Amino acid sequence: MNNTNSINRNTCKVCGLCAEVCPMKIMIKNDSTEISFRQDRLPLCIKCGQCMAVCPTKSFVVEGLSYSKDFFEMPDQIAPDIMFFNMIATRRAVRNFKDKPVPKELLEKIVQAMTFAPPGFTPIKTEITIIQDAEVVRKALPHMIKVYDDLVAAMNNPIARIFIRHKVGAAKYKTIKNHVVPLMKSRLPELKSGKEDTITRHAPSMILLHADRNAENYETDIHIALTYGFLAAHALGLGGSAMDLIPPAIENSRELRRMFSIPESNTVVGSMILGYPKYRYQRGIKRELKGVLWI
Ligand SMILES: Cc1cc2nc3c(=O)[nH]c(=O)nc-3n(C[C@H](O)[C@H](O)[C@H](O)COP(=O)(O)O)c2cc1C
Ligand code: SF4
Ligand code: SF4
């Protein structure tokens, strides 16, 4: 990728931290006098910035990164661990919202939280679209309903079923057949009559996470960014939930893609509905992981 990472030898303390943290093990601490680069590995630099983040004297410079632009100083006070665990333990999937818009400053903080999410590797592929207007969400809903109405109808047709299976692959087809269709069959009457909104949940805001469908490794990045977004929303007194029904609806609706300005080349991978929680939960929910093995 590049071979011009450099060390200011006048200020370098030769502490070796940059070599320690580098995921690609590009630097070597030869002895107590010098850090050297492995020339064969320099092209592997993923520009993760770990070396610059750890360097106590700002001596390490990765080509294209700058201390002033790409880094920030650690907050003086790190929140006690108890606050963090309380925060993640009290998060809930919120599907009931107050009829109150989310201020732009809070949406910006959620976006900022997403920028802190770790990417698998750079360049970052995640793109987001923030819908700040409840009216836009409301107008989108009928188009989402139509996609699912069409899907349920198509799944009743043996020829269309073969086509869908071919288009989405075996695993997704199984999910559609066993979960999505039965779910939507039960929900569509209320959705169509306007009695219930079990897709966008009358959310005042929504965030869509998308990426170029030809890019590599974007799905995991997007899910991690989404997770950061949820936690930030919760920390800010908001609530939200992932909505797996929304991305496929957008994928299959020209109107929705246009409404949300999703580029033709992009696929929406994640979505998050967002707003002020209407109800207060009295207690948290305990869950177990499927397996925990200590070795
Ligand atoms: C999906 C995903 C896959 C990753 N895979 C690797 C990996 O194979 N090897 C590795 O050293 N780091 C891996 N990482 C760590 C990233 O390289 C790291 O998060 C990124 O360089 C940013 O560094 P930071 O989050 O510690 O600041 C992965 C991260 C993610 C989110
Ligand atoms: S930017 Fe990352 S990969 Fe590149 S040298 Fe620094 S630590 Fe290593
Ligand atoms: S972390 Fe900084 S001071 Fe330490 S060896 Fe690397 S470049 Fe030098």
Side-chain angles (χ1 to χ4, degrees):
M1 204 180 281
N2 81 85
N3 59 3
T4 56
N5 292 354
S6 63
I7 294 173
N8 181 338
R9 306 285 171 186
N10 296 325
T11 53
C12 175
K13 297 199 301 182
V14 200
C15 65
L17 288 173
C18 55
E20 288 289 327
V21 301
C22 176
M24 300 303 171
K25 295 287 169 218
I26 289 169
M27 288 76 72
I28 306 169
K29 186 179 173 188
N30 296 321
D31 46 44
S32 57
T33 58
E34 201 196 6
I35 301 286
S36 64
F37 291 104
R38 285 195 52 162
Q39 294 301 323
D40 57 327
R41 290 191 181 166
L42 261 177
L44 302 176
C45 176
I46 56 169
K47 297 187 188 291
C48 66
Q50 289 264 347
C51 48
M52 290 176 70
V54 82
C55 180
T57 56
K58 296 188 178 175
S59 303
F60 202 106
V61 176
V62 176
E63 192 202 36
L65 300 183
S66 92
Y67 281 99
S68 57
K69 186 168 66 65
D70 299 307
F71 297 84
F72 60 90
E73 297 307 315
M74 287 295 188
D76 284 340
Q77 272 192 322
I78 293 171
D81 59 352
I82 193 83
M83 276 174 67
F84 172 74
F85 278 94
N86 282 348
M87 204 271 287
I88 59 171
T90 55
R91 185 210 54 81
R92 292 269 69 81
V94 173
R95 303 182 186 85
N96 305 90
F97 303 100
K98 287 183 182 164
D99 187 13
K100 178 179 169 183
V102 180
K104 187 162 186 200
E105 308 85 77
L106 296 192
L107 291 170
E108 282 171 344
K109 284 196 170 168
I110 292 168
V111 174
Q112 188 188 19
M114 289 181 177
T115 70
F116 295 142
F121 52 85
T122 57
I124 290 171
K125 277 77 69 179
T126 307
E127 298 177 45
I128 64 171
T129 301
I130 303 118
I131 296 111
Q132 318 173 56
D133 184 352
E135 190 58 18
V136 176
V137 181
R138 198 186 61 74
K139 281 187 180 155
L141 181 62
H143 297 287
M144 296 182 189
I145 296 170
K146 182 174 184 314
V147 169
Y148 285 105
D149 203 25
D150 291 349
L151 176 71
V152 169
M155 287 294 284
N156 277 332
N157 177 329
I159 310 274
R161 277 205 299 272
I162 294 170
F163 175 75
I164 292 169
R165 194 177 189 285
H166 180 73
K167 189 180 165 197
V168 303
K172 269 194 185 161
Y173 179 79
K174 226 168 130 182
T175 308
I176 290 173
K177 183 168 162 279
N178 297 336
H179 299 284
V180 179
V181 170
L183 183 77
M184 293 318 291
K185 268 188 180 164
S186 79
R187 286 183 175 182
L188 275 167
E190 277 78 13
L191 276 164
K192 288 205 264 186
S193 70
K195 260 195 203 155
E196 280 177 0
D197 170 8
T198 42
I199 299 180
T200 66
R201 308 271 176 181
H202 303 294
S205 287
M206 193 159 79
I207 299 181
L208 305 173
L209 296 92
H210 47 100
D212 186 327
R213 66 184 80 244
N214 292 317
E216 293 170 19
N217 198 49
Y218 54 83
E219 293 201 5
T220 313
D221 285 4
I222 283 183
H223 289 125
I224 294 171
L226 198 56
T227 308
Y228 273 49
F230 290 144
L231 293 176
H234 179 50
L236 293 165
L238 298 166
S241 179
M243 281 289 141
D244 271 358
L245 289 172
I246 293 173
I250 299 171
E251 192 68 11
N252 289 288
S253 164
R254 208 170 291 138
E255 290 82 1
L256 289 171
R257 296 183 75 85
R258 202 167 34 232
M259 206 175 258
F260 298 135
S261 301
I262 305 294
E264 206 44 55
S265 53
N266 281 20
T267 178
V268 179
V269 176
S271 78
M272 168 179 172
I273 52 169
L274 196 61
Y276 284 97
K278 193 170 177 182
Y279 307 120
R280 185 176 168 274
Y281 293 89
Q282 298 293 331
R283 56 201 61 84
I285 302 170
K286 280 189 193 167
R287 297 190 181 107
E288 301 288 331
L289 298 178
K290 182 173 178 190
V292 178
L293 175 64
W294 298 81
I295 294 178

